[in-house]
Structure formats: C-alpha cells, structure tokens
C-alpha cells in the first residue's frame, strides 16, 4: 500500500531516538521545540508556483532529515508510524 | 441529484472507521487532529491562478484520500453524509 | 427594483428549510456552522484579477447553491429576505 | 467646496432611514451589522493595480448604494454628514 | 531645514481646529476616530511597485487633506508640529 | 571593524538628544512612540524584489534620519551604541 | 557528517561570549532580545523566488554574523551546538 502526499507535503518515517545517535546528532533537552530525525518515504504531488509550474522538492525519498517533532500529522500505515508535513517545515537534510 | 463544489473545493464521502482498516492504515488515538479516510465524490469548478487559468486538481473522483476529520463542512445528501473541503486541506491519496 | 452586488459578491435568496428537502439534502443538526440552500438572484459586477481582467463567476442566476447560514449580510427587498455574500463563501452548486 | 477621496475611497451621503424605504428595501432589525442606503457623491483618485494601472470604479457619482452602517469615516461638509469608505466595502448598487 | 519623508510617507502640517472651519468642514464629535484637516508640506521618496517603478503620489505639496487625527507620527520642526504618515492613510483632498 | 547589515537593514548611530536640537527638531514629549535622530553608518546588502533585482536604498551613508526610538536592535561596536533596523522603519531624511 | 539546511535556512555555530569580544562588539545587557555572534557553517538549498529561480545568499560559509540569540532552532552535531535559522533573521555580517 502506498501513500502519496498532496501538494508540497512529504511523508516521513521518524527515526527512533535510540537509533538517531548514529550520525552523532543529539538534540539538546532544553530546546523548546525538539527537532527529530526522520527518513523521507514519499514526496508530494508538488507545489504549484505563480506561473502554474511545479516547484521541485529539495528532499528526495531516502533522505535523512531533521524535522520539528510535532510539526506534522501522524498516520499509521501497516503498523508503522509516519508524519505527513509540508516540506518547508523540514529544517535540514543530514548526509 | 448532484453536488458541484465551488472553486478548489472537493466533495468527499468519509469511510466508516470499521471499514477504513482495509488498507492497513490505522490512525493513532493520540493524534490531536485525527485524519480520516474518505472517497472523493466530486471535484470543484477549479481554483483560478494569478493568470486566470484553472489549476488542475491533484485528486480525482474515486480517489481514497486521507483528510482531517473536522476540516470540512458536513452535508447530508440522499441520506448519506459528506464533507466539502478545500483540496489543499487533504493530506494524501492512498493507493 | 434591482440590486446589483459589487465586485465578487452575489445576491442569494435563502430557500426555507421546509422546502429545502426537495433535493434530498438535509443539513445535519450537529454541524457547527450549518450550510443552507439558496437561489442565486444576481451576480456582482465582477472580481478583478491581477492583470485587470474580470474573473468569470462560477455560479449564475437561478442556480441553487449551498451556502453558510450566517456568512453574508441580510437585506430585505420588497418584503423578501436575501443574503449578499462573496462567491468564494458559497460551498457548492446543487443540480 | 469639493472633497476628492484618495485612492479607492468613495464619498457617500447616507440616505435618511425614513426616506430609504422608497425603493422597498428595509433592513431587518436583527442584522448584526446593519447595511444602509447612501448616494455616491464622489469617487476617489483610483486604486492602482500591480502593473501601475488604475482600476476603474464599479460605482459612479449619483449611484444609490447599500453600505455597511459603520464601515466608513464620518465627515461633515457644509452642514451635511457624509461617509468616506473604500469601494470594496460597498455591498451593492440599487437601481 | 528640510524633512524628506521616506517611501510612501508624507509630511503634513495639521490645521488648527479654529481655522479648519474655513472650508465648511466640521468633524462631528461623535466620530470614533476624528479626521483632521492638514496641509501637505512634503511628499516622500516614493513607494516602489512590484516592477521596481515608483508609484506617483495622489497628493502634492500644498494640498489640504483630511487625515486621521492619530494616524501618523508627531515631529516638531523649528517649533511647528507636523505629522509623518503613509499616503494611504490620508482620506481625501479638500479643494 | 565593519558591520554590513543584511538585506534591507541599515546601521544607524543615534544622535544624543542634547545634540539633536541642532537642526531645530524637537520631538514632543507627548508622542507615544518618540522618533529619534540618527546618522546612517552603513546600508544593507540590499532588498530583493519579485524579479530578483536589488531595490536601491533611499538613504545613504552619512544621512541624518528620523527613526523610531525602539524600532531596531541595539548593538555596541568599539564602545559606541548603534541600531540595526529595516529601512522601511525609517521615517524621514533630515537635510 | 554534514547538515544541509533546507531552503533559505543557514547553519550557524554560536561564538562563545568570552570569545565574542574579539571584534570589539559587546551586546548591551539592556537589549530586550540580545543579538549574538556566530559563524556560518552551511547555507541552505536556496530560497525560490516567484519565477522559480534560486535567490543567492547574502552570507557565505565562514562569515561571522550577528544573529538574534533565540531566533533559530538548536541542534547538536558531534557534540557541538548549532543554530538553524532563516537567513532573513540574521542581522549583519561582521568583517
């Protein structure tokens, strides 16, 4: 089963915190809104600019991203938890 | 009888929760704003962009979509309940 | 006597609730903002887009529409009650 | 003495309520924001669109219009009371 | 000494209320935000539109204008009080 | 050491109030938000318009300007206090 | 390990306050929102303008910048603390 996000949305699978240290990133506890690591599972149908053209995504399927923890909408597919959020809410790609 | 949504609105028939598990999607209880599965019954007359051209819809009649549960306006037609909402409020197409 | 709405506004005559069932639409009581059936009596002078061109209306005189119950401004002409509202606030055309 | 409203503003002389029934329009008491009849005395210097061109007015001097009662700024010229308001706030032309 | 307002701002010298009756304009006491007569002393460096072109002013030096009483910023130059405000806040030119 | 403001920001050195009377400008005490004289020390890297072109500044280094007292961000460089603010917040050039 | 900020975001490493005096900049204690020195570690994938073109950054890797202290999102990479913020929130480049 597949989920195709609409517009500029992306589907991200959050990385569990115990695993997220692999890259050496630790999010400090004091942060008001904790960012969180995740893996891009699907990108949306595309944002449309003023001239009717689709704006390319800056992230692609498989990217490990840094995202706000409560910025998206949670969905559960085949038993796994995902987040659907707008690409503009993603902070950075980790590589 | 037919309902033609205006502008960028779509008419969606919510899928009852007991049936919605068919695709394997289960919306977690803890979500603040629960998304919900639905079936697109009709798309609107079209959103107009800055140049006066109609922007094509990303969803089509028959699509199973993931939508916010209380994002639209409820209407009842011939005894069935529907939601009228803007396409931009739809989260994803499930396929 | 005639009323010509300005800009993107339309003049709508609300259909009384006992008559509104004719098409089979019943608005559920639990809806926060009840939509209501109405008949378009006049469309406005036209919305102007960024290039100075008039945007055509999606509704026309005689259309039966679904509109938010308290979305417009009430006026009484020759003893009949009407609503003046922006076309974008109309939810759908019923046909 | 003359008043030339700036930009998209118009100068309107409110019609007294006892006279306003001539056209058959009665504004219901229950309306939250009562609209009011008025006569257009002067239109503004013109609204400028994105391309620097003036947008023509939809009302002209002499038009009887339906306007929100407290939508403009009151001024008194030669003993008469007027309202200066943006054209977009005028609801309809009565003819 | 000269003051050149920036952008779409204008410099206005308020007309004292005892003198302001000359044109026959009396601002009613009941108005929530009293407009006030003033004389344009200087116009700004010009508003820039979307295409980088300057938008011409609708008022010129010497114009008597109707302006909101507390809409601008008060400055005192050589002992006289002035208001600096955006042109769009000026209601009308009196002529 | 140099500070180059970013975008449409400018760096302004406030003129002390005892010196500020030189031009004859006295800001009245009753003003809600007191404007203040200052000298432009540096202009920013430039604001970008919709077409990607830089919008020229209306102020230049050395200009004496009238600015809102608490409109910018205070910084201290080599013992002197400065304000960094957006050019659009500057009220006028004094000359 | 690398962090590539998305869109118009930049990754900045804050300079510790004891070291920040090197350039002679001391941020006054009384400032409501204290600006802070930092070093640009990475710039984003680029902001897209209305025509779909990327807008060049005004800061580059290695720049010492003046930034609001709590304007970004804190992340910790390989034990070091960083801030991810939009370029428009950076006040100035120090050189």
């Amino acid at each position: 089963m597949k989920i195709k996000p609409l517009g500029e949305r992306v589907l991200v699978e959050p990385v569990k915190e115990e695993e997220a240290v692999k890259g050496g990133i630790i999010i400090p506890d004091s942060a008001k809104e904790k960012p969180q690591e995740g893996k891009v599972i699907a990108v949306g149908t595309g944002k449309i600019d003023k001239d009717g053209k689709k704006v390319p995504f800056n992230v692609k399927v498989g990217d490990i991203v840094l995202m706000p923890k409560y910025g998206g909408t949670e969905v559960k597919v085949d038993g796994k938890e995902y987040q659907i959020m707008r690409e503009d809410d993603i902070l950075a790609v980790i590589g």
Side-chain angles (χ1 to χ4, degrees), chain A:
Chain A
M1 206 194 74
K2 267 185 60 181
I3 292 191
K4 182 67 174 175
L6 268 204
E8 52 186 314
R9 291 179 180 89
V10 296
L11 181 73
V12 182
E13 180 186 355
V15 176
K16 288 205 186 64
E17 291 196 26
E18 54 270 37
E19 301 165 10
V21 203
K22 71 170 197 295
I25 292 192
I26 302 155
I27 312 307
D29 275 342
S30 63
K32 283 174 306 218
E33 181 194 338
K34 286 192 192 181
Q36 182 185 31
E37 268 185 60
K39 188 178 176 180
V40 177
I41 301 300
V43 299
T45 52
K47 187 184 177 177
I48 304 296
D49 73 6
K50 303 271 166 189
D51 300 319
K53 283 183 297 193
K54 292 211 172 178
V55 178
F57 280 91
N58 287 310
V59 298
K60 60 181 189 301
V61 172
D63 277 356
I64 302 299
V65 297
L66 207 55
M67 61 182 184
K69 199 160 190 173
Y70 306 109
T73 303
E74 293 176 41
V75 294
K76 200 181 253 182
V77 184
D78 298 331
K80 273 190 184 163
E81 280 185 23
Y82 297 94
Q83 294 259 3
I84 293 180
M85 63 181 60
R86 294 178 190 270
E87 190 201 27
D88 188 55
D89 290 333
I90 294 178
L91 297 166
V93 176
I94 304 170

